[in-house]
Amino acid sequence: MADRHTRRNDGRRSSDDRAVYVISVAAELAGMHPQTLRIYERKGLLAPQRTAGNSRRYSERDIERLRAIQELTQKAGINLAGVKLIMQMQERLEEMQRRAQRLEQELTYAAVRTRSERDRSEGGQIVPLRSVVVFPWERGSEA
Amino acid sequence: MADRHTRRNDGRRSSDDRAVYVISVAAELAGMHPQTLRIYERKGLLAPQRTAGNSRRYSERDIERLRAIQELTQKAGINLAGVKLIMQMQERLEEMQRRAQRLEQELTYAAVRTRSERDRSEGGQIVPLRSVVVFPWERGSEA
DNA sequence: TTGCTCCTCACGTCACGTGAGGTGGC
DNA sequence: TTGCTCCTCACGTCACGTGAGGTGGC
């Protein structure tokens, strides 16, 4: 839970990206069998770094990804092929969302600019957004 | 590609949405076993209409959905739980794309309007959208 | 009547996680 | 040396598609 991201206290890369855990520790942190992590890698679900001696080294981000895989497989019953595609789509969705957010901000600026130019205020409507996809396992209790 | 949608020549609904195929025909069109269609329905992957006598009736859109399911299961090896979530995400993705497109258009209009305001004022109203789309998987695990 | 529909149950196949077994490097 | 890592192979479990079996309505 600690140091979520971009905690770069001294010019080093984000601590979340540093490959620090050997496979046994990573498996313990994710609550999995070490062999399971090897399977996930072979299936292309994650790609931990390797040491010079060819041993795997997992980052904090890798651990989070492992937990996400666990959610999808155990709680939602999705197989690994599905998890792989879902995670790709998730990245695309997040990218799209950032794009829409940026566009909206620009639009707000444009609106302010227009309003101030004619010194007239007649607020635009606010368009409520549709409810988002709620995954089955996220209904009910939080966290 | 023929009569894709909104072909309402006489007040009827889109031809793609009309429930016209009984299960045996739908299965044949989709290249599946009829029992498979029943399984998909039970798993919540599609919901064909029912006749007064409780028989299933599939629309052209249902057939297309069946083919999409087939792609994901047979070619990609994704199980039904995965297919279900993927299709939900796909709808979200398409919605997001339409939204971004609309925003871009509004932004273009706003730019044009700002420019023309300098000469003469003839403005439509601006509709600022407030974006707070936060997908479940993007929420932080806690505050 | 026939030929469809509805449903449930059973079985074969396959994906996946777990574990054993044997190897090599720090 | 020990305790890890690497890999492959085998097995138990489960999801899924197919089929059989029995029912009912048009």
Side-chain angles (χ1 to χ4, degrees):
Chain A
M1 307 301 186
D3 45 65
R4 196 94 182 91
H5 62 136
T6 62
R7 185 164 88 177
R8 50 191 81 197
N9 23 11
D10 56 6
R12 280 185 290 181
R13 68 199 306 180
S14 166
S15 62
D16 282 4
D17 287 323
R18 294 229 316 278
V20 289
Y21 307 120
V22 297
I23 193 168
S24 58
V25 175
E28 190 184 341
L29 289 172
M32 295 174 175
H33 193 288
Q35 188 64 9
T36 304
L37 272 61
R38 297 190 183 101
I39 291 174
Y40 288 173
E41 183 177 0
R42 178 153 14 136
K43 299 259 180 167
L45 286 165
L46 81 168
Q49 291 187 25
R50 297 276 186 153
T51 65
N54 203 35
S55 289
R56 296 171 179 83
R57 282 293 157 83
Y58 295 81
S59 68
E60 191 62 45
R61 198 174 304 276
D62 288 329
I63 306 298
E64 285 174 22
R65 192 172 178 88
L66 285 170
R67 293 202 183 104
I69 294 170
Q70 203 173 37
E71 287 272 312
L72 291 169
T73 56
Q74 294 187 7
K75 293 193 182 175
I78 295 167
N79 68 359
L80 301 185
V83 170
K84 192 174 176 183
L85 180 53
I86 284 163
M87 287 186 151
Q88 287 174 11
M89 292 182 71
Q90 219 160 309
E91 287 168 16
R92 283 194 56 194
L93 256 172
E94 288 164 7
E95 192 181 327
M96 286 289 296
Q97 192 205 345
R98 283 192 297 272
R99 178 157 167 264
Q101 219 162 12
R102 198 176 57 242
L103 285 170
E104 256 167 18
Q105 202 168 33
E106 287 176 25
L107 195 60
T108 303
Y109 290 155
V112 169
R113 200 157 49 234
T114 299
R115 200 173 304 142
S116 64
E117 286 208 4
R118 66 175 161 179
D119 193 28
R120 183 189 299 177
S121 67
E122 205 62 54
Q125 303 170 245
I126 289 174
V127 179
L129 295 164
R130 309 253 299 271
S131 65
V132 298
V133 175
V134 176
F135 295 126
W137 61 86
E138 286 172 331
R139 292 195 194 109
S141 65
E142 242 275 333
Chain B
M1 313 326 172
D3 48 69
R4 193 84 183 91
H5 62 138
T6 63
R7 185 168 86 180
R8 49 193 83 195
N9 24 13
D10 54 10
R12 279 185 292 181
R13 66 202 307 181
S14 164
S15 62
D16 282 5
D17 287 323
R18 292 228 318 277
V20 289
Y21 307 120
V22 297
I23 192 168
S24 58
V25 175
E28 192 183 340
L29 289 173
M32 295 174 176
H33 193 288
Q35 189 63 10
T36 305
L37 272 61
R38 296 190 183 103
I39 292 174
Y40 289 174
E41 183 177 359
R42 178 151 15 135
K43 298 258 182 170
L45 286 165
L46 82 167
Q49 291 186 24
R50 296 277 185 150
T51 65
N54 204 34
S55 288
R56 296 172 179 82
R57 283 292 158 81
Y58 294 81
S59 68
E60 192 62 46
R61 197 174 306 276
D62 288 330
I63 306 298
E64 285 175 22
R65 192 171 179 90
L66 285 170
R67 294 203 183 102
I69 294 170
Q70 204 174 35
E71 287 274 311
L72 290 168
T73 56
Q74 294 186 8
K75 292 193 182 173
I78 295 167
N79 68 359
L80 302 186
V83 170
K84 192 174 176 183
L85 180 52
I86 284 163
M87 286 185 151
Q88 286 175 13
M89 291 181 72
Q90 215 159 339
E91 287 168 15
R92 287 294 311 162
L93 202 57
E94 287 164 8
E95 193 181 328
M96 286 285 293
Q97 276 167 349
R98 284 192 298 271
R99 185 156 162 266
Q101 214 165 13
R102 197 176 59 241
L103 284 170
E104 251 172 11
Q105 202 169 34
E106 289 179 22
L107 196 58
T108 305
Y109 290 157
V112 170
R113 194 155 50 236
T114 298
R115 206 170 301 133
S116 65
E117 290 271 340
R118 299 200 181 100
D119 306 343
R120 187 173 300 180
S121 65
E122 180 60 27
Q125 75 179 45
I126 292 169
V127 183
L129 294 167
R130 186 168 298 172
S131 154
V132 213
V133 184
V134 178
F135 293 97
W137 56 82
E138 288 172 329
R139 287 185 201 128
S141 50
E142 91 298 351

